[in-house]
Amino acid sequence: MVGAGMLSRIRGIPIAAKLAGIVVVAITAIGTCAAMQISAIRPAEMAARQLRVHSLVDVALGVVADFHRQATAGTLSPEAARHGAMAAIRAMRYSGSEYFWINDMPQGQALEPIHMIMHTAKPELDGTVISGMKDPDGVFVFQRFVAAVREGGAGFVGYRWPRPGAKQPVPKLSYVAAFQPWGWVIGTGIYVDDVDRIVADRRDAALVQIGVAVVVMIV
């Protein structure tokens, strides 16, 4: 219970000082909440992007599975079904220039070569051996893809890869999944710097809103 002396001292504080104290407390609270919100932007955006590419690969798997069913039913030859599936996946684009690729998954020894079945952005790779391709950090990219699907049927792999039409590799995170009946690995990915730009834009917008709120509180 607050004593009479304490109440007297509180009443003796100038109104301006009391208001200043309230403003300081409010600004501190706003700053704390803002810091928490800003720190959560990147994880939330990455999670949303990962969920999206996961869903897109699932769609591509569904397309391939449909051609496989037609081959199994005899309405398409196995070769025609594979060519049809490749053409359908090649035509699938999203977010402007984002694409899919398909590489094979050796069924025997780990040292068997990995081949590119279809790469939308780099068709010159189609039919070539890609086992030895590695990024500037020494990551054997396609070996990692095969390892990911062998371990769990699907998974995310981080590496560096050029954007379509560019030569400089940039950080990328791809989701790959296996279509076991044909021994295919289907994947697509996100460029991490795209996420960083979105995060920076949202962070700047949040800082502007916070700044306006602080100014209003001070005034």
Side-chain angles (χ1 to χ4, degrees):
M1 189 172 182
V2 180
M6 179 64 73
L7 287 173
S8 178
R9 284 194 292 273
I10 292 173
R11 291 185 182 127
I13 298 174
I15 292 177
K18 293 177 182 177
L19 291 175
I22 293 171
V23 169
V24 169
V25 171
I27 290 174
T28 301
I30 290 173
T32 301
C33 292
M36 293 173 64
Q37 288 181 326
I38 290 172
S39 65
I41 291 175
R42 194 177 195 281
E45 184 62 29
M46 282 297 295
R49 291 296 186 94
Q50 287 177 264
L51 179 61
R52 185 184 185 199
V53 295
H54 187 303
S55 300
L56 288 167
V57 169
D58 285 347
V59 171
L61 285 171
V63 170
V64 175
D66 184 61
F67 279 94
H68 178 258
R69 281 192 293 270
Q70 294 181 61
T72 302
T75 56
L76 285 176
S77 70
E79 183 179 0
R82 283 178 169 82
H83 281 295
M86 282 189 284
I89 300 301
R90 191 188 297 276
M92 292 172 62
R93 292 294 188 111
Y94 63 97
S95 299
S97 61
E98 300 303 331
Y99 60 90
F100 296 84
W101 78 87
I102 305 169
N103 60 267
D104 68 2
M105 180 173 56
Q107 301 298 312
Q109 299 296 321
L111 295 179
E112 282 189 38
I114 302 169
H115 299 84
M116 181 64 72
I117 303 296
M118 186 283 298
H119 197 291
T120 304
K122 289 182 175 290
E124 65 273 16
L125 293 178
D126 293 1
T128 63
V129 175
I130 52 177
S131 315
M133 291 187 66
K134 58 183 179 179
D135 74 358
D137 300 321
V139 175
F140 286 91
V141 178
F142 293 95
Q143 291 186 32
R144 287 281 187 91
F145 294 154
V146 171
V149 299
R150 278 180 171 165
E151 289 172 9
F156 285 95
V157 177
Y159 58 103
R160 287 203 280 167
W161 189 266
R163 291 174 176 278
K167 294 183 178 180
Q168 183 64 34
V170 294
K172 189 173 184 179
L173 181 67
S174 288
Y175 181 76
V176 291
F179 184 69
Q180 296 288 357
W182 288 349
W184 282 6
V185 176
I186 303 173
T188 189
I190 55 176
Y191 291 97
V192 177
D193 56 354
D194 284 344
V195 177
D196 291 338
R197 277 192 291 271
I198 291 172
V199 170
D201 290 343
R202 292 184 179 178
R203 182 187 61 231
D204 292 345
L207 289 173
V208 169
Q209 293 175 347
I210 293 163
V212 170
V214 169
V215 170
V216 170
M217 291 289 292
I218 293 173
V219 172

